[in-house]
Amino acid sequence: MAIVHEFEYFKPGSVDEVVKLLSDYGKDAAVLAGGTDLVVRVKDGFETPKAVVDIKGIEELKRFEFKDGHLFVGALVTFNELIDSEVVRKNFPVLWEASKSVASMGIRNRATLVGNMCSAVPSLDSGPAVLLYEANVVVKGPSGERKIPVLDWFLGPRKTALEKGEMVVGVSLSVLEKRHGGAYIKLGRYDGEDLAQVGVGVLAIEGNEYRVAFCAVGPKPVRARKIEAILSGKELTESVMEEAMAAVVDEISPITDIRATREYRMHMSKVMLKRALRAAVSRLKGEGPEYGTRLI
Amino acid sequence: MKKKITFKLNGEMRSVEVEPNDILLEVLRGKLGVKTPKYACGRGDCGACTILLNGKSVRSCLIFAIEVDGAEIVTLEGLSKDGLTPLQESFIEHNSFQCGFCAPGMTLTATELLEKNPHPTEEEVKEAIAGNLCRCTGYVSIIEAILDASKKQ
């Protein structure tokens, strides 16, 4: 299927040039990194950019660096690069596990973490992980650089806090001070290219602190603060677990669509929360299941 | 506006004029006569259009041709230029394919896997080929062939 829509192609060599193009073209510009989302959108006619700005020629956006407890993931870093990184596997295991669940190997060779966060679809697999690790999104625009806490980043389906003329140069994550175990569980119809019907991410932090996040069960990925408050300071007994599962209905607002019904998503969110919490706690104790193991 | 791009295709330098909205898969098949990458879903779901771009398996239906200026591309034609690879022999031995439509993508994906990880577990093989759909075989004969090829290398 050939693309009918015509556009101009730019391949700038610096972030400043990108910012200039984005400022000039405004909504008519689309940034192209891996293209796994954009090309489909252009084919389907959902996006009709006048300018496609390919950022793959910009060396600094390939930056992937771990220094003094901070990880910087440049806008061109692909999911497979995250998966191949021992630093990510060791320090940000939920991001690692979530990356493994993104589409397929051939897509992950192109798709980037930053692209996933910029597309900001409700089902994005990286959503729970970046919310749990409280990442910062580093953007550059006409008035310079700013950092946006990821908790303020996602505004709705395909809506982010990015403003006109701005581009994301990378995402920074800081290592948690305390030891933690975690889990990301994705429910899909099949392995491979399917989007999440439900995604649940959990961190169990030493001292019985917990962080919980969901994706694909609301307009944007969310942290589940009520559940976190219920769990805080407690061992995961049956009754605590039940209380947490009962609070799921207050945290999410799933819809019925082609992939699942609202009721199924709601039910599975509870089941998956329980499994993710159990896996996270046992991983914190240094017991299995290994990261990347299928939990559902 | 048309632009001339030059890239290495199966070991040879090739130049071709493309529009910014030309999809790489269509340029390979329609303009350069490379027919093993197949057009099926057109949205990255099925893996039939898989090629190796700078050594990595990617979906050529999700790439604008203009992006690959200066890159290196290998398709099945290039992979088996000097005869079948041990992996391909293994596919034949195991009768892995029936209609063969998924075979080019499956072969390139498995080639990348075995280069990166010469002795994968069954789980790792399944993960690697999860994005390559086969509607004939139920995958068993494909997985067995890949594992078998890995044991022999």
Side-chain angles (χ1 to χ4, degrees), chain A residues 1-9 11 32-40 42-44 52 54 56 78 80-81 83-84 100 103-110 190-193 294, chain B residues 1 3 19-23 26 39 41-46 53 56-59 61-64 66-69 108-110 112-113 116 123-124 126-133:
Chain A
M1 186 187 69
I3 295 174
V4 182
H5 174 71
E6 290 180 4
F7 52 82
E8 256 192 282
Y9 172 84
K11 194 172 181 183
L32 171 68
T36 53
D37 187 53
L38 180 68
V39 177
V40 176
V42 174
K43 281 185 177 184
D44 287 346
V52 168
D54 187 351
K56 288 191 288 295
T78 64
N80 269 352
E81 285 176 79
I83 294 166
D84 290 342
K100 296 260 288 181
S104 58
M105 191 172 86
I107 298 290
R108 298 196 295 252
N109 271 334
R110 296 280 287 181
Y190 65 97
D191 289 343
E193 180 51 33
R294 171 188 281 278
Chain B
M1 201 181 65
K3 189 192 164 201
E19 293 283 353
N21 62 358
D22 281 340
I23 292 292
E26 285 160 14
Y39 175 67
C41 75
R43 47 201 311 120
D45 291 349
C46 75
L53 175 61
K56 289 179 177 159
S57 64
V58 299
R59 307 286 180 253
C61 74
L62 294 186
I63 297 174
F64 297 120
I66 202 164
E67 293 177 64
V68 304
D69 193 20
L108 291 169
T109 300
E112 187 199 11
L113 169 71
K116 225 170 130 179
E123 221 22 69
E124 286 167 336
K126 284 184 181 170
E127 187 187 347
I129 64 167
N132 292 81
L133 302 186

